[in-house]
Amino acid sequence: MELLGLTFALFGAAFAAALSGIGSAIGIGIAGDSAAGVMTEDPDKFAKCLALQALPGTQGIYGLLIAFVVLNKLGLLAGQPVPLTWTQGLMIFAACLPIAIVGWLSAIAQGKTSASSIQMISKKPDAFAKAIVLPAMVETYAVLALLTSIIMLMRISL
């Protein structure tokens, strides 16, 4: 029973890193498929395609950041674990959910938007600024989820 809090907290950290990382991998894959098609026709668009393909990767970074914040809060990075009640562990688990869920889903949506933007610059290379704004709008929600998770974690006293 004494490890239940730590178990909940570690599951939260694992979900934050894993779900947002899976979403980023899928999103980058979707954008990469589109970029490969465009670069087959015009290899000079590599830099623009790469910038758009990389955008869905940020959610994975956000999830990893939250996992490190949790591990640090638990004292596991310093090798001195902090004792947790099961309610504290459950609160940490809940604090990880915003970036886990929103990171996962927004990375996939951003990958689809990036793929469309890549198709846009294949036809209108001068529209790169507009093309990068569209997937960046999706990023807004991942940033909001990251901030929510950080604020929730900061308010949990151990």
Side-chain angles (χ1 to χ4, degrees), residues 9 29 80 102:
Q80 298 175 338
V102 176

Side-chain angles (χ1 to χ4, degrees), residues 21-35 50 52-60 107-108 110-112 114 118:
I22 289 169
S24 285
I26 293 170
I28 287 174
I30 292 169
D33 285 346
S34 183
L50 182 63
L52 287 165
Q53 183 189 8
L55 284 176
T58 55
Q59 285 86 344
I108 295 170
Q110 194 171 35
K112 292 176 182 176
S114 290
I118 289 168

Side-chain angles (χ1 to χ4, degrees), residues 23-50:
S24 285
I26 293 170
I28 287 174
I30 292 169
D33 285 346
S34 183
V38 168
M39 288 188 300
T40 300
E41 298 291 324
D42 186 1
D44 291 338
K45 290 190 172 72
F46 173 74
K48 291 179 179 177
C49 288
L50 182 63

Side-chain angles (χ1 to χ4, degrees), residues 2-107:
E2 67 187 45
L3 293 178
L4 191 57
L6 182 63
T7 304
F8 278 134
L10 289 177
F11 267 117
F15 276 130
L19 291 180
S20 59
I22 289 169
S24 285
I26 293 170
I28 287 174
I30 292 169
D33 285 346
S34 183
V38 168
M39 288 188 300
T40 300
E41 298 291 324
D42 186 1
D44 291 338
K45 290 190 172 72
F46 173 74
K48 291 179 179 177
C49 288
L50 182 63
L52 287 165
Q53 183 189 8
L55 284 176
T58 55
Q59 285 86 344
I61 296 169
Y62 299 159
L64 185 63
L65 174 68
I66 290 300
F68 279 127
V69 169
V70 169
L71 294 177
N72 188 47
K73 190 170 188 79
L74 298 175
L76 295 177
L77 294 179
Q80 298 175 338
V82 175
L84 290 178
T85 65
W86 71 271
T87 54
Q88 290 170 320
L90 198 56
M91 286 189 293
I92 291 173
F93 179 83
C96 292
L97 289 179
I99 193 58
I101 295 170
V102 176
W104 171 39
L105 296 175
S106 69

